[in-house]
Amino acid sequence: MFVSPNEINMVESTKPLRVIFMATPAFTLPVFEVLTQDKRFEIIAVYTQPDKPAGRHAIPLPPAVKLRASRHDIPVFQPEKFNNPTTIRQIELLEPDIILVFAYSHFLPKEVLAIPKFGCVNIHPSLLPRWRGPSPVAFAILNGDKETGVTFMLMNERMDQGPVILRFRAPIAPADNREDLTARLSVLAAERLPSVLIDWTEGKIKAQPQEENNATYSKLLSRPDGRIDWKKTAVEIERQIRAFSPWPGAFCSWGGKQLKILKSSIDSTATLPPGQARIANKNLIVGTARQDIKILALQPEGKKPMNIKDFLNGGPKIDGSILS
């Protein structure tokens, strides 16, 4: 049963912390590797999502974390759900000191939260309570935030609402897309992780409640979220393109086919009606509700990503077209 680290004797320095790591996507690997390389920690098990069918032939592919754990001969478990006695008992028998969760996409029931001596710690890529929920990096970019960060949080039964152990800030660069920013935040989390876990388990940090009045929420993204509405402003569309890269992507329709916009910049002029495309000085410009958008890279349906120079060299009849 979890109790505050202040009520537990300091962990013996010669005895590594027994850690269960719960994660799935590849961007969590820097954190995984830090744990494997530091002798103060022992990953006793990895929990990750089940293998998922991928590609044309729907061949089940293992998550990145599973593959990496296998290289280290670490046991891997892939339960469909946690609300069953078998999984809960399995974790009890592992006797973890701490459970570390990072982009796992499973809710942990109170029975699991109570097992590790030092609780279940979640790594969340935002400055909680800002952008709780499943898409914090995308929503930080989408809303024009100047900074974000990483929060180490003691988990409870409510999504992203547990007390904060520590926060670390990081700026959002004007050109950051979600993939780049997520990778940078993962590295930041990996760099800070050892000292956070040691200080937490030694009782040097006291978790603080979140400021509920400042809470904002992100949502689970779906493919329709990527469709561009050219009646929005250039600033909003440019953020959308960065926030939804690489998935679901920002896209529109041209000539009855999908056109994915990969990279853009804001043109200070405002000469075109929303959605109208124009080729000017070897640039592709599209009108919006305020200012124009300059397309820098795109991907026509059925083709590979390309920069705008290569696209225009193909002689597309896009000048004067209306994108929808």
Side-chain angles (χ1 to χ4, degrees):
M1 179 178 179
F2 168 74
V3 293
S4 168
N6 291 315
E7 301 177 54
I8 302 174
N9 292 329
M10 185 181 297
V11 177
E12 296 178 15
S13 58
T14 57
K15 184 180 179 182
L17 281 168
R18 294 172 57 81
V19 180
I20 291 178
F21 186 56
M22 297 183 176
T24 298
F27 69 75
T28 65
L29 292 176
V31 170
F32 174 85
E33 289 299 336
V34 162
L35 289 172
T36 61
Q37 295 166 13
D38 195 319
K39 293 182 180 180
R40 294 173 296 179
F41 309 104
E42 178 190 2
I43 301 181
I44 56 174
V46 163
Y47 280 73
T48 189
Q49 291 285 338
D51 298 0
K52 290 187 177 179
R56 214 168 134 190
H57 301 290
I59 299 172
L61 293 180
V65 172
K66 177 182 179 180
L67 293 174
R68 190 64 59 88
S70 298
R71 294 184 197 171
H72 292 271
D73 295 323
I74 297 172
V76 176
F77 302 97
Q78 298 174 275
E80 292 281 353
K81 296 180 180 179
F82 266 86
N83 57 349
N84 66 78
T86 301
T87 299
I88 294 170
R89 181 57 180 160
Q90 183 183 70
I91 295 174
E92 288 176 337
L93 292 173
L94 287 167
E95 297 183 340
D97 291 318
I98 197 163
I99 292 177
L100 184 66
V101 181
F102 188 14
Y104 180 37
S105 302
H106 260 321
F107 282 107
L108 303 187
K110 61 182 180 180
E111 293 84 358
V112 172
L113 296 174
I115 291 172
K117 184 163 42 174
F118 297 105
C120 297
V121 174
N122 182 53
I123 300 174
H124 189 78
S126 82
L127 297 173
L128 289 173
R130 187 160 181 80
W131 303 128
R132 293 170 175 171
S135 308
V137 177
F139 272 72
I141 295 173
L142 195 63
N143 285 270
D145 291 3
K146 301 299 182 184
E147 68 171 3
T148 183
V150 171
T151 299
F152 291 86
M153 178 200 74
L154 183 63
M155 297 175 68
N156 60 21
E157 294 179 71
R158 296 174 297 173
M159 184 178 66
D160 300 331
Q161 296 183 46
V164 170
I165 297 172
L166 277 176
R167 299 183 188 94
F168 298 95
R169 297 178 180 275
I172 300 177
D176 275 339
N177 64 27
R178 189 180 71 193
E179 186 174 39
D180 296 337
L181 183 55
T182 299
R184 200 163 71 245
L185 292 176
S186 181
V187 171
L188 174 61
E191 292 171 346
R192 301 295 187 175
L193 177 67
S195 61
V196 170
L197 291 187
I198 294 300
D199 287 350
W200 169 247
T201 56
E202 291 184 353
K204 296 178 181 178
I205 306 172
K206 184 178 180 181
Q208 302 293 331
Q210 294 187 34
E211 307 87 356
E212 289 297 323
N213 291 339
N214 295 328
T216 59
Y217 294 85
S218 66
K219 69 166 190 171
L220 186 66
L221 297 176
S222 63
R223 181 156 180 75
D225 292 321
R227 178 164 289 281
I228 296 172
D229 179 359
W230 297 104
K231 293 180 181 178
K232 290 185 176 181
T233 67
V235 169
E236 291 173 311
I237 294 170
E238 191 272 341
R239 289 175 184 169
Q240 178 186 2
I241 292 166
R242 291 186 294 116
F244 295 166
S245 174
W247 194 91
F251 58 89
C252 59
S253 295
W254 170 53
K257 293 186 176 182
Q258 177 181 286
L259 189 66
K260 185 179 286 188
I261 310 301
L262 305 178
K263 192 174 181 181
S264 68
S265 64
I266 297 173
D267 192 307
S268 59
T269 59
T271 60
L272 299 171
Q276 183 171 331
R278 178 170 61 91
I279 299 174
N281 299 321
K282 299 182 179 180
N283 291 311
L284 176 59
I285 311 296
V286 183
T288 76
R290 188 184 307 146
Q291 300 179 302
D292 294 337
I293 281 278
K294 183 184 292 184
I295 308 301
L296 305 177
L298 46 69
Q299 183 177 9
E301 186 175 330
K303 297 185 179 181
K304 294 180 179 180
M306 61 183 74
N307 61 40
I308 201 61
K309 179 181 178 181
D310 291 339
F311 175 73
L312 294 179
N313 282 344
K317 297 178 182 180
I318 197 170
D319 194 33
S321 299
I322 299 296
L323 307 185
S324 60

